[in-house]
Amino acid sequence: TPTPAPTASAMFFGTAPKYGRLGGALVEYNVNKNSLTSVEDVVKDQSIVSLCYANGVLYGGTSVWGGLGMQPIANEAKLFEVNPSNRTKISECVPVPGAKAITALLDGPDGHLWGMADGTLFVFDKTNKTILSTHELFKVSDTTKSKHVFKNACLILHPSGRIFGTAYGELFELNPVTKTKTAIGKASYSLTMDSKGHFLYFYRGINLWRYTP
């Protein structure tokens, strides 16, 4: 998923490797120079599957899974911080022990970073670099965790302060205070919003759907 950099001149992407390989790269596209700069193995042997820019820092979430046909070496997905100016990693941690993929990150309404690691929502204090709380939204079996995951959850902050998400085939709304979810309907992985928050868009099967918050 592309994530805007601190200026309009750059955009960052996270990647997963090709068949039979582990690892992933953080790629910066410089709009002015029309050039790409890649940093591999930001988190060793893990793919980069989610990104979020907040307060001058680029946050990333990983998946232990690499290319198809390759079993992971790492056991747990990690949250990492990168200085976007020089693409240097600042820190990394495991926000949810045992989770295999962090597929959504959001600059939350409370000033903290929110993320989805497998079926668990976590709240990360960006200043103190600590996990403030975790909330199991979906029960995920060991069988499900044993399957390749590059894409699953999405989280969106509506201009009204409401939070919407998709995960495990469900479109839902999150209570920003209690962190509980209310199911809205069926949905596949992707979720996006128009620039003014009038509509949410997602797909169900092969069909594009629109939801009015």
Side-chain angles (χ1 to χ4, degrees):
T1 301
T3 296
T7 69
S9 64
M11 182 172 285
F12 287 88
F13 300 82
T15 72
K18 62 182 182 180
Y19 187 94
R21 294 188 61 184
L22 293 173
L26 179 65
V27 181
E28 178 186 351
Y29 172 62
N30 188 299
V31 177
N32 296 332
K33 298 179 180 179
N34 190 28
S35 63
L36 293 172
T37 303
S38 177
V39 180
E40 296 186 7
D41 273 340
V42 176
V43 176
K44 185 172 176 56
D45 297 322
Q46 299 200 34
S47 304
I48 299 174
V49 295
S50 57
L51 292 172
C52 178
Y53 174 76
N55 306 113
V57 177
L58 184 65
Y59 297 88
T62 70
S63 171
V64 301
W65 298 97
L68 297 176
M70 188 68 178
Q71 289 298 308
I73 294 175
N75 294 317
E76 298 172 308
K78 291 188 176 182
L79 172 70
F80 65 86
E81 301 174 281
V82 164
N83 181 338
S85 300
N86 56 19
R87 299 172 296 278
T88 300
K89 184 169 65 177
I90 301 169
S91 68
E92 66 178 50
C93 69
V94 175
V96 179
K100 304 299 182 183
I102 300 169
T103 52
L105 292 173
L106 174 72
D107 190 12
D110 54 4
H112 300 305
L113 185 75
W114 294 30
M116 282 287 292
D118 292 352
T120 299
L121 172 74
F122 66 86
V123 180
F124 177 76
D125 185 325
K126 300 192 294 280
T127 302
N128 297 314
K129 306 184 191 303
T130 57
I131 301 299
L132 297 177
S133 62
T134 58
H135 312 266
E136 187 180 49
L137 303 183
F138 298 88
K139 291 187 178 297
V140 183
S141 68
D142 290 338
T143 300
T144 300
K145 289 184 179 184
S146 67
K147 298 177 181 179
H148 274 74
V149 174
F150 306 117
K151 193 174 184 181
N152 182 14
C154 292
L155 293 174
I156 284 180
L157 177 61
H158 190 266
S160 65
R162 299 167 69 188
I163 298 174
F164 296 91
T166 54
Y168 297 98
E170 181 179 286
L171 172 68
F172 59 88
E173 181 172 355
L174 273 179
N175 185 307
V177 178
T178 64
K179 314 298 190 297
T180 55
K181 72 177 178 70
T182 301
I184 297 172
K186 295 181 180 180
S188 300
Y189 301 131
S190 296
L191 179 67
T192 191
M193 179 176 64
D194 69 86
S195 61
K196 295 184 179 180
H198 293 160
F199 304 109
L200 301 179
Y201 296 90
F202 60 96
Y203 68 92
R204 185 185 294 171
I206 61 173
N207 299 312
L208 177 66
W209 286 67
R210 185 179 75 183
Y211 175 75
T212 304

